[in-house]
Amino acid sequence: MTTHPIRFARLGYCRLRCPDLDKSVAFYRDMVGLMEASGASNTRWMRCSDKPYDLILEGGDAAGLAGVGYELESAAELDTAFAHLTTLGHAPVWADAARNAAYQVERALLVRDPLTGMELDFYTGQTQANTPYTGVLTKIARLGHVVMNVTDLNAAHNFWGEQLGFAVSDRVEGVAEWLRAWPNPLHHSLALLQGDKNTLHHINFMVTDIDDIGGAMNRLKAADVPIVFGPGRHLPSTSIFLYYLDPDSNSTEFSFGMELFEEMGAREARELEHKAEVMDIWGSKPDPRFGKGSPIVAAA
């Protein structure tokens, strides 16, 4: 039985490398509906919550998933995480004062995902945004989850599930698993899929109403944004979904509705069959470009 050595609050942000930064900013602002919160010559903050950023877009020669941040429940949990990761040999380091100030957090530790080499950021004490998120285009509730294709699903599960204590909600043996950042109640804040390369599969934004799915579909179609899967309903999480491509061909998802888990007494993880109905009980078929995203970038 998996133990939970660290208490997580939520998925905080994802960092994307973008060869055409201005084009990506415009897409996530004008098509997805994020607010442009702050910008520098080579980095732009985008937000869909009361936090200063939910998606960080960075200029770069090639597209890629450069990092993921998770907020922990407390400063004490951050100390616990640092000691735990050190004992396991993952060599975490404390972020210095300048980085903490830049990211508007009190404290943070940085560590590499041992399989992909990607930078992971665990932090506490993030400031609130100066203005509320308005959701003019789409009423986004939150950044929901990130999904990665990985070359070794067992190794990825060992790190995220066994060592960090993410709880498996559902799995397809040898193919996929959906994990929640325990004790966060969302069915998954992370999912892992067995693949040939370590790449981004998709990033998800959860919306507040099913009408947001239909409205977004028509808006994206009118702008010739490729819709690569859906609308449909996932079997594992019960979410209604719509997937589309960003300017770098990364799959991006809007979803509505998700199974929630109590901290104690939650159901056991289900072993699901490897069949198309797991991804969509309504029977839609994904475009071949679905989930074929940018490489995961190893930290320098």
Side-chain angles (χ1 to χ4, degrees):
M1 181 177 179
T2 300
T3 58
H4 306 289
I6 306 166
R7 294 180 64 90
F8 291 87
R10 67 183 183 102
L11 170 63
Y13 68 88
C14 294
R15 289 170 49 213
L16 288 181
R17 296 271 175 86
C18 308
D20 189 333
L21 184 57
D22 289 337
K23 185 176 182 179
S24 292
V25 168
F27 176 83
Y28 280 99
R29 181 189 63 222
D30 302 334
M31 291 291 104
V32 180
L34 277 65
M35 291 177 63
E36 189 173 358
S38 180
S41 60
N42 207 42
T43 301
R44 307 287 179 84
W45 286 359
M46 313 296 293
R47 51 182 283 254
C48 57
S49 71
D50 61 351
K51 301 298 183 181
Y53 50 86
D54 299 276
L55 183 66
I56 297 177
L57 303 178
E58 303 174 344
D61 294 335
L65 175 63
V68 174
Y70 280 91
E71 183 177 9
L72 304 192
E73 279 195 345
S74 67
E77 287 299 323
L78 195 62
D79 290 326
T80 297
F82 190 92
H84 179 64
L85 289 163
T86 300
T87 299
L88 292 172
H90 293 303
V93 297
W94 290 111
D96 62 26
R99 188 188 189 280
N100 289 339
Y103 276 68
Q104 298 188 20
V105 299
E106 290 180 358
R107 299 171 68 212
L109 69 81
L110 306 176
V111 67
R112 290 173 183 260
D113 174 352
L115 177 62
T116 67
M118 180 179 67
E119 181 178 273
L120 302 177
D121 177 6
F122 299 157
Y123 62 89
T124 58
Q126 190 174 53
T127 62
Q128 298 289 102
N130 293 326
T131 58
Y133 169 69
T134 55
V136 174
L137 282 180
T138 300
K139 295 185 289 297
I140 300 174
R142 63 183 63 87
L143 173 69
H145 54 262
V146 59
V147 178
M148 296 183 289
N149 301 306
V150 294
T151 57
D152 189 335
L153 183 58
N154 288 334
H157 168 80
N158 181 63
F159 177 66
W160 290 97
E162 301 302 326
Q163 296 186 6
L164 295 182
F166 276 49
V168 178
S169 298
D170 290 304
R171 64 162 58 90
V172 176
E173 184 65 31
V175 176
E177 57 185 41
W178 294 263
L179 303 101
R180 59 190 187 276
W182 190 90
N184 184 290
L186 293 176
H187 177 276
H188 59 282
S189 297
L190 171 74
L192 303 167
L193 304 178
Q194 178 64 51
D196 297 327
K197 299 177 181 179
N198 295 320
T199 61
L200 173 64
H201 188 278
H202 72 268
I203 290 174
N204 162 273
F205 297 97
M206 299 176 69
V207 301
T208 64
D209 192 281
I210 193 171
D211 290 341
D212 293 314
I213 300 290
M217 179 181 68
N218 289 324
R219 181 176 70 253
L220 294 166
K221 281 185 174 180
D224 293 324
V225 174
I227 293 175
V228 290
F229 196 15
R233 185 188 286 273
H234 291 313
L235 188 156
S237 66
T238 73
S239 300
I240 294 171
F241 65 82
L242 181 74
Y243 292 92
Y244 48 95
L245 297 183
D246 79 356
D248 296 315
S249 296
N250 295 313
S251 295
T252 307
E253 180 189 22
F254 283 141
S255 69
F256 169 70
M258 177 175 273
E259 182 181 8
L260 302 178
F261 287 74
E262 298 293 335
E263 179 177 339
M264 305 301 293
R267 68 164 174 81
E268 295 296 319
R270 296 176 297 189
E271 298 288 344
L272 304 174
E273 294 184 56
H274 186 198
K275 59 182 182 179
E277 289 79 4
V278 169
M279 288 302 292
D280 186 12
I281 63 174
W282 293 356
S284 66
K285 303 299 181 184
D287 183 288
R289 295 170 290 179
F290 168 62
K292 303 294 194 300
S294 302
I296 297 175
V297 180

